[in-house]
Amino acid sequence: MTSTIIHSLAAITLASGVALTAPANAQEDTVQIGLLSLTSHAPSIIAEAKGYFEEEGITAEFVSFQAAQPMAVAIASGDVDFGVTAITGGLISLAERGAVKVIGGALQETPEIEGQKILVSRQAHEDGVTTPADLAGRRFGITTAGSSFHYMAHKIADAEGFDRSELSLVTLNSVPAVIASLRSGQIDAWSIVPNIAGGLTRGEDVVEIGVIADYVEDYQVTTVFTSTDIVENNPELAERFLAGFSKGVADYNAALVDKTMSEEETAEIVAMIHEYVYTDRPLEDADPAIRAGAMRINENARLNLGSVEDQMEWFKSEDLVPAEATVENLVDTSFVETF
Amino acid sequence: MELMIENVSHHYGETHVLEDISFTLKDGEIICIIGPSGCGKSTLLRFIGGLEQPTSGQVLIAGEAPSGSLNPLTYIFQDFALLPWRTVEGNVSLVLEDHGIHGSRANAIINDVLARTKLADFRKALPRQLSGGMKQRVAIARALAVNPAVMLMDEPLSALDSQTRELLLDDLVELWSREKFSACYVTHNLAEAVRLGHKIVVLSRRPGRVRQIVEIDMPLGERFERMGELEETQRHLWNLMREEARAADMELADVA
Amino acid sequence: MSLDTTHAPVTSAAVPRPVAPSGARPVPFRGGGFRHKPLGFVGPLVFVALIALWELGSRTGFISPIALPAPSEAFAAFMDLVQTGMLWTHLEASLYRLVVGWTFGSLLGVSVGLAIGLFSFVRAGFLPLVSALFPIPKIALLPLFIVWFGIGEGSKVATILFGTFFPTVIATYGGVDNVDRNLIRMGQSFGLSWLSIVRKIIIPGALPAILSGFRISASIAIVLLVAAEMIGAEFGIGAYILMAGALFATDQLICGVAMLSILGLTISFFIGKAEKYFLNWRT
Ligand SMILES: Nc1ncnc2c1ncn2[C@@H]1O[C@H](COP(=O)(O)OP(=O)(O)OP(=O)(O)O)[C@@H](O)[C@H]1O
Ligand SMILES: [Mg+2]
């Protein structure tokens, strides 16, 4: 009991950006789902709107966050039950403390689908940075230490055969700050998902010089995770959640990635996503932005364990996580198919 | 040096404060100004000191200020107006610095005025360490330092208790006896007025007009001993004032 | 003090001591309390006691390691910094930004504040501007600061400079407005020049307000340090805290926050000294 209180307290203080605080122990069939305003969170939105969660006996409630880190903390404290986020130093650290577990995969780079792009500023491009091999000695923007951007930057350095320290990483703490820095030429390079990259390269200031898929094979970008408490004491809830989530994934891929769905149904799905993503724009404007550059989300929330292991190795090599951290502590493989 | 107040009238917006005031302040003469509260005494003094200008009428200076007078028209304020962050000597030197008087020359003046006001022992004290009476003596010392031709005093003793007031009154008389400065002295205290004033200008309630100018011939130095003879004058002043004060009071009551 | 004693002839005989009737008792004392005694040792004691309790709570598992790391872990993180020498690197980077940003922010703030306090024209023109710009959270402008000042020291110093500028302006002109008008009148009545009045009466009179403005702006500078070091900072206490947050390294996080707090205490100590020195004339 007491530890619940302390957990909640920690969540209130640490999880700045929680739009809605829910009771720590959700009712049997009500789950709190953490949401970032990104298209990759669409499966949960679709599953809720189409009643897939309801079919599983789950009432879904969304809790909005501004960043992945507070969401991870809120899940650790039990204020939120499920979330989707990139594997970060923070997430591994929380998993090492026995607070959270990855239970499935979400966004993944696949060869046939357009994936994350490597971008440089116009200035850098004119200076001769035209391929990722030219990035040595350049300033590469990342949000925080241990973020997916940090990982991608080092994977590029490793594959191109120059020392990681030759990339000068600039920590900017937020995506808008990275964008501002790149566009004004304060940093030289960045890597980002295609729908944001597309928006940037359409302008004058930013040029695409490569794709991440060439450097990270089948990169498992984001994963589904929950609290260790649910994994241990209520695994059946996690299974039901994943079942509903997977149906959402199937619809998302069909509508926006494989485009096998009728236009009418696709429009319906876009409208559902628009309830939570790009809400600041009218639907007509948001529609193309939501459709553009949709990346595949793994069917049935399958998880690329190989990619997770590679990421873990990298975190350890950079001393960003405790040396004793393991994939076993991070991932519970009993829920989904892994490969 | 003489000061002539000629047909001074003044309005503050709608408020008619002073009406056609005229009198002359002669060299070496002390004029006391009395009148009910709010009749414009302080305002009149500010005109005389050149800190404000009347709506109509003027204040004229005739003759030259005595040589060596740094600030011919010098104010002494009811609330002392000492700089709390300067010591006693610092407060005095403040008014010398702008005249380019520094170092030993300033020191000599400071020594002199502090001795005259019996403050020699408190040179280094800050205002917060002084009693009310001492603070006003510092203010007087500061005024003396600039060698004024006319001292303008706005109820200089009213913030003090009655014993201190008596002592300072004696001090003022003594200072005047040594050096015949002229002064305009605003007060509410009729006893002060008859102790110090060669002339007493009685103002009516607002708008202040000159009701009467009472002259007292008795030399200042003798007045303490001959207080009894001044009783009559004081009673006369009080009779003049009483009606005005009562009427002023009624007006205020109406406003309330 | 009774009536008949005043009529009694003045004698030098000792006044007879009154004899207390039986049943007389001392007047009950009701004047205690509501007054602060200096109890210098209590502050540190409470501090030490809290930390000891916290450590105990962490060791017994009463406080979950996710909620708070044990103080000893935070201290270990601090010792890591000392041993690797990173402490000085971080401190140096942050102090540079704080000192430059705060100094220029304060200098500019005092100058503009004085101008607003002294010249009606400046007041009419700038005061609405200051009121309009003060409440803007500087953090919201960070992306623009990147474009304006770059991701080097410029934007970091600028964040702190802007953050400290406005409160200093407001404290200063407020101080000028509050200078006793009578003192200014006094200066005028003695024929002091305009410059003398400003230098000798207005500035010293506004100094208490300016110094308490410094106290506030110094705290704001420390608060803004974390925001300032969001942009491309490799070193600095703020950058250290941000990185600890991103990696959920709570021991380092607490260690960094404690360093900021100690920094704040130190600055407040020095401003206290400055107040004692410059404002010793106050009662
Ligand atoms: N700066 C000003 N602006 C507007 N009205 C003023 C100003 N100064 C004084 N007055 C008004 O002028 C009238 C005379 O004020 P003044 O201070 O001269 O009176 P006083 O005779 O000195 O009164 P007291 O005996 O109480 O000191 C009052 O009604 C006062 O409210
Ligand atoms: Mg008055």
Side-chain angles (χ1 to χ4, degrees):
Chain A
M1 182 63 210
T2 353
S3 89
T4 320
I5 292 171
I6 291 168
H7 278 157
S8 313
L9 270 176
I12 291 165
T13 40
L14 295 174
S16 55
V18 180
L20 184 146
T21 347
N25 291 327
Q27 287 175 9
E28 257 186 30
D29 50 356
T30 305
V31 302
Q32 313 289 329
I33 301 173
L35 214 58
L36 293 178
S37 206
L38 297 171
T39 37
S40 54
H41 288 252
S44 302
I45 299 167
I46 298 169
E48 199 272 335
K50 286 208 159 185
Y52 299 149
F53 284 137
E54 221 167 312
E55 287 167 23
E56 300 294 332
I58 288 174
T59 313
E61 283 176 9
F62 291 123
V63 184
S64 291
F65 290 87
Q66 300 300 322
Q69 178 72 355
M71 179 162 80
V73 177
I75 289 185
S77 69
D79 289 270
V80 171
D81 302 308
F82 297 97
V84 174
T85 178
I87 296 174
T88 60
L91 190 70
I92 296 175
S93 174
L94 282 167
E96 278 306 305
R97 286 159 210 246
V100 300
K101 278 261 190 261
V102 168
I103 54 169
L107 204 70
Q108 195 202 315
E109 296 264 353
T110 44
E112 81 285 2
I113 302 293
E114 206 182 18
Q116 302 194 71
K117 312 281 193 194
I118 302 166
L119 307 176
V120 293
S121 69
R122 164 75 50 199
Q123 227 172 306
H125 194 258
E126 280 165 10
D127 271 9
V129 187
T130 50
T131 71
D134 305 324
L135 283 173
R138 293 289 171 168
R139 296 165 301 179
F140 193 101
I142 64 174
T143 51
T144 59
S147 61
S148 55
F149 306 105
H150 193 177
Y151 172 68
M152 288 187 276
H154 279 176
K155 293 305 276 188
I156 295 170
D158 292 353
E160 291 293 350
F162 57 84
D163 204 80
R164 286 175 184 178
S165 63
E166 277 189 68
L167 265 185
S168 104
L169 296 175
V170 181
T171 310
L172 292 157
N173 280 290
S174 73
V175 169
V178 180
I179 292 175
S181 305
L182 185 69
R183 294 185 55 176
S184 60
Q186 308 275 351
I187 57 170
D188 302 311
W190 189 35
S191 58
I192 188 62
V193 288
N195 60 338
I196 295 181
L200 287 172
T201 47
R202 258 197 296 285
E204 287 280 284
D205 324 311
V206 178
V207 187
E208 181 189 328
I209 59 161
V211 294
I212 286 296
D214 294 342
Y215 297 91
V216 195
E217 205 181 328
D218 297 338
Y219 178 17
Q220 184 73 59
V221 185
T222 63
T223 59
V224 182
F225 70 109
T226 183
S227 67
T228 310
D229 185 45
I230 288 178
V231 168
E232 283 170 2
N233 302 322
N234 205 353
E236 175 266 347
L237 177 68
E239 273 159 22
R240 284 193 285 145
F241 171 81
L242 283 169
F245 181 82
S246 299
K247 289 182 199 165
V249 170
D251 280 5
Y252 177 82
N253 286 337
L256 300 175
V257 183
D258 300 325
K259 306 201 169 73
T260 52
M261 224 179 226
S262 74
E263 170 52 33
E264 200 179 319
E265 277 179 293
T266 305
E268 212 175 293
I269 288 207
V270 168
M272 288 171 192
I273 298 174
H274 180 246
E275 292 282 305
Y276 295 94
V277 181
Y278 294 127
T279 47
D280 53 337
R281 310 183 194 174
L283 182 55
E284 309 88 80
D285 294 355
D287 186 286
I290 291 173
R291 288 173 196 243
M295 280 172 71
R296 182 175 300 284
I297 295 175
N298 289 355
E299 296 288 341
N300 297 321
R302 281 164 13 116
L303 180 69
N304 181 350
L305 210 52
S307 173
V308 174
E309 275 160 5
D310 184 66
Q311 293 180 51
M312 178 64 89
E313 280 317 306
W314 171 77
F315 276 109
K316 286 202 214 170
S317 70
E318 285 292 308
D319 262 347
L320 292 165
V321 296
E324 62 276 13
T326 61
V327 172
E328 286 66 50
N329 285 341
L330 177 64
V331 182
D332 189 313
T333 52
S334 62
F335 291 95
V336 298
E337 183 193 333
T338 58
F339 58 101
Chain B
M1 198 175 88
E2 276 186 19
L3 280 183
M4 277 156 292
I5 291 87
E6 285 188 355
N7 313 105
V8 165
S9 297
H10 191 68
H11 298 261
Y12 278 122
E14 293 290 286
T15 333
H16 195 179
V17 182
L18 289 167
E19 167 94 1
D20 199 26
I21 307 282
S22 299
F23 59 88
T24 304
L25 175 65
K26 298 213 178 66
D27 210 9
E29 182 179 68
I30 298 180
I31 289 190
C32 290
I33 303 173
I34 61 173
S37 194
C39 75
K41 303 182 292 295
S42 300
T43 310
L44 180 60
L45 208 62
R46 286 199 292 274
F47 295 152
I48 300 174
L51 293 176
E52 254 177 70
Q53 287 177 320
T55 321
S56 68
Q58 52 191 349
V59 180
L60 299 173
I61 304 179
E64 287 304 309
S67 66
S69 175
L70 300 174
N71 189 48
L73 302 176
T74 297
Y75 244 88
I76 291 180
F77 296 83
Q78 176 176 7
D79 64 353
F80 324 133
L82 300 179
L83 301 185
W85 48 87
R86 285 195 176 218
T87 58
V88 167
E89 78 180 327
N91 266 288
V92 178
S93 78
L94 172 80
V95 299
L96 300 174
E97 289 159 13
D98 261 37
H99 298 283
I101 299 174
H102 298 279
S104 59
R105 211 146 69 85
N107 219 3
I109 296 178
I110 294 169
N111 278 339
D112 174 50
V113 294
L114 291 187
R116 274 153 75 189
T117 47
K118 309 184 185 82
L119 284 166
D121 293 342
F122 298 94
R123 248 189 113 116
K124 302 281 176 202
L126 284 166
R128 70 176 154 90
Q129 297 164 311
L130 304 176
S131 71
M134 282 154 83
K135 283 183 200 162
Q136 193 56 293
R137 293 219 302 273
V138 177
I140 293 170
R142 178 176 61 188
L144 292 175
V146 292
N147 224 337
V150 182
M151 293 245 240
L152 304 171
M153 299 188 251
D154 192 354
E155 307 187 38
L157 307 184
S158 68
L160 307 173
D161 64 280
S162 59
Q163 288 91 334
T164 313
R165 206 181 305 169
E166 282 300 326
L167 291 172
L168 270 177
L169 214 47
D170 288 341
D171 289 345
L172 281 176
V173 171
E174 194 190 312
L175 284 171
W176 184 84
S177 311
R178 280 180 51 179
E179 202 160 355
K180 303 272 186 302
F181 56 83
S182 30
C184 253
Y185 188 104
V186 170
T187 181
H188 274 280
N189 185 318
L190 302 181
E192 279 174 30
V194 297
R195 277 288 301 282
L196 280 177
H198 297 103
K199 282 183 198 153
I200 296 165
V201 175
V202 184
L203 295 184
S204 68
R205 68 179 184 276
R206 201 180 64 210
R209 296 188 188 83
V210 178
R211 251 205 95 178
Q212 202 172 64
I213 298 182
V214 177
E215 296 203 27
I216 305 177
D217 291 331
M218 191 191 297
L220 290 194
E222 294 170 21
R223 290 192 189 178
F224 179 71
E225 305 295 329
R226 297 164 61 188
M227 267 315 258
E229 295 168 46
L230 292 170
E231 287 263 312
E232 185 56 33
T233 322
Q234 198 172 329
R235 194 169 308 119
H236 172 66
L237 291 173
W238 174 228
N239 282 331
L240 286 174
M241 289 276 296
R242 182 153 52 193
E243 298 149 39
E244 296 293 342
R246 195 173 283 149
D249 209 37
M250 294 305 292
E251 278 169 18
L252 284 180
D254 282 353
V255 174
Chain C
M1 283 296 276
S2 67
L3 274 178
D4 38 14
T5 50
T6 53
H7 289 292
V10 179
T11 59
S12 56
V15 183
R17 283 174 157 272
V19 180
S22 67
R25 56 202 178 281
V27 174
F29 176 64
R30 292 170 291 185
F34 303 105
R35 197 184 298 168
H36 293 289
K37 295 176 209 141
L39 298 171
F41 63 94
V42 175
L45 208 69
V46 169
F47 199 67
V48 170
L50 263 180
I51 291 190
L53 259 179
W54 173 7
E55 180 75 41
L56 196 75
S58 294
R59 296 242 166 141
T60 54
F62 180 77
I63 301 175
S64 128
I66 293 177
L68 263 183
S72 53
E73 288 172 38
F75 188 72
F78 179 74
M79 288 318 291
D80 280 349
L81 279 180
V82 174
Q83 271 150 22
T84 54
M86 288 305 288
L87 179 63
W88 307 116
T89 319
H90 287 310
L91 260 183
E92 200 188 321
S94 288
L95 281 180
Y96 170 81
R97 288 159 195 156
L98 279 177
V99 168
V100 175
W102 182 82
T103 308
F104 283 98
S106 297
L107 280 180
L108 275 174
V110 169
S111 316
V112 172
L114 278 179
I116 289 178
L118 292 174
F119 307 108
S120 315
F121 186 75
V122 180
R123 171 170 305 218
F126 273 79
L127 200 51
L129 207 63
V130 168
S131 310
L133 296 179
F134 183 34
I136 295 177
K138 314 302 169 265
I139 301 171
L141 291 178
L142 278 187
L144 285 179
F145 276 22
I146 293 172
V147 181
W148 297 345
F149 306 109
I151 54 172
E153 291 303 307
S155 57
K156 301 172 186 78
V157 168
T159 307
I160 294 174
L161 193 153
F162 278 102
T164 53
F165 172 75
F166 293 104
T168 312
V169 170
I170 287 169
T172 306
Y173 93 74
V176 172
D177 284 358
N178 271 333
V179 173
D180 190 350
R181 293 292 110 179
N182 245 337
L183 293 182
I184 297 174
R185 271 250 151 82
M186 182 276 291
Q188 292 173 324
S189 82
F190 279 99
L192 266 59
S193 68
W194 182 86
L195 201 66
S196 283
I197 292 180
V198 171
R199 261 182 45 223
K200 296 170 187 173
I201 299 179
I202 293 180
I203 292 180
L207 201 59
I210 295 176
L211 282 179
S212 67
F214 282 177
R215 207 179 260 284
I216 293 168
S217 69
S219 305
I220 291 179
I222 293 178
V223 169
L224 283 178
L225 188 65
V226 177
E229 294 183 351
M230 277 183 156
I231 317 164
E234 196 176 348
F235 302 114
I237 301 175
Y240 176 75
I241 290 174
L242 286 165
M243 173 153 155
L247 298 176
F248 207 75
T250 47
D251 49 346
Q252 294 178 4
L253 187 87
I254 294 292
C255 165
V257 170
M259 286 197 287
L260 284 190
S261 148
I262 290 169
L263 199 62
L265 276 176
T266 314
I267 291 176
S268 149
F269 171 81
F270 282 116
I271 292 179
K273 285 271 168 227
E275 277 180 343
K276 270 225 174 76
Y277 178 79
F278 286 112
L279 307 181
N280 72 329
W281 47 270
R282 280 201 304 198
T283 36

